[in-house]
Amino acid sequence: MPKQKITKEMVVEAAFELARAEGAEHITVNSIARKLSCSVQPIYSYCQNMEGLRQEVAVKAKEFVREYTSVLTDPEDLFRSTGRAYLRLAEDEPNIFKIFIMHQRNNISSLYDLYASEADPGVPEAVADKLGISISAAKELHLNMLIYTIGIGTIFSVTSPGISPEEIFSRQEKAYNAFLEQALKEKIHE
């Protein structure tokens, strides 16, 4: 039986699957070789360093998150359902959530920089139209919910045996209502 040719894509996929099942800290040359049933040599030939491989896994995690959340997002309630989708991800795929949230982001020196690099630029306009608020108030609402969702999602993904989804979603809804009330008050004072 001929030996299986190990490709870079196979190495990245194996690393992603290990990270998904066990966490990014379990991505090692030996664990990837075991998963692929090969020696460490092909792994070393594709990985100049583990940090580069972890970055490729982070890119794969970002793609996974995009696909995952798009399935759970309701076009009629895009803003709120997207936040819920991220929390569902934290519950169902905690290791992917952690990789997605915890990967290094460069050239970020403020929360607004983070918002500009991470948020869909069409969301503030859609939120402003739906809620009848200014685009600047919609951006502020979106940024506040982004910060809150990342925080509570991180808590959700790292607790054991785990906080109930009902409690997490209830807190997210309370935060949304508080931030929305603030945005609507700003509309009155304009």
Side-chain angles (χ1 to χ4, degrees):
M1 180 178 219
K3 277 189 168 181
Q4 178 182 10
K5 180 170 172 25
I6 304 298
T7 65
K8 181 176 182 180
E9 291 74 26
M10 291 168 71
V11 171
V12 173
E13 183 63 30
F16 176 79
E17 290 301 324
L18 282 165
R20 183 179 180 189
E22 302 175 34
E25 62 278 8
H26 292 278
I27 301 173
T28 65
V29 172
N30 288 332
S31 65
I32 295 168
R34 274 192 305 278
K35 184 149 184 74
L36 293 174
S37 301
C38 68
S39 72
V40 296
Q41 181 52 41
I43 314 306
Y44 280 120
S45 68
Y46 292 120
C47 302
Q48 299 301 319
N49 61 52
M50 289 307 288
E51 188 53 38
L53 180 58
R54 282 187 171 84
Q55 287 300 321
E56 290 188 56
V57 168
V59 168
K60 200 160 178 57
K62 189 173 185 175
E63 292 166 7
F64 179 93
V65 169
R66 189 177 303 119
E67 290 174 22
Y68 182 95
T69 56
S70 71
V71 170
L72 296 175
T73 302
D74 176 4
E76 298 300 314
D77 191 10
L78 187 62
F79 184 60
R80 290 165 74 190
S81 67
T82 300
R84 282 188 222 110
Y86 279 99
L87 291 183
R88 201 47 84 197
L89 173 74
E91 177 185 28
D92 296 343
E93 298 282 351
N95 292 322
I96 297 296
F97 183 85
K98 287 184 261 185
I99 292 167
F100 177 69
I101 296 301
M102 302 303 288
H103 78 273
Q104 180 66 37
R105 289 165 172 83
N106 297 317
N107 301 315
I108 304 294
S109 58
S110 73
L111 291 172
Y112 293 104
D113 289 345
L114 177 68
Y115 181 78
S117 75
E118 298 289 321
D120 179 335
V123 170
E125 190 173 314
V127 170
D129 287 346
K130 183 158 180 89
L131 299 176
I133 59 178
S134 70
I135 290 180
S136 66
K139 282 183 181 176
E140 199 65 24
L141 173 61
H142 192 205
L143 173 60
N144 286 336
M145 285 308 299
L146 179 70
I147 293 165
Y148 189 85
T149 300
I150 289 169
I152 201 165
T154 302
I155 292 166
F156 201 18
S157 71
V158 299
T159 55
S160 180
I163 300 168
S164 77
E166 294 79 20
E167 183 178 357
I168 294 291
F169 288 120
S170 172
R171 286 287 172 181
Q172 185 185 43
E173 189 66 22
K174 286 177 184 177
Y176 170 76
N177 288 327
F179 292 136
L180 177 59
E181 184 178 324
Q182 180 183 358
L184 293 173
K185 281 181 184 174
E186 289 174 15
K187 178 182 175 184
I188 293 169
H189 295 14
E190 288 179 345

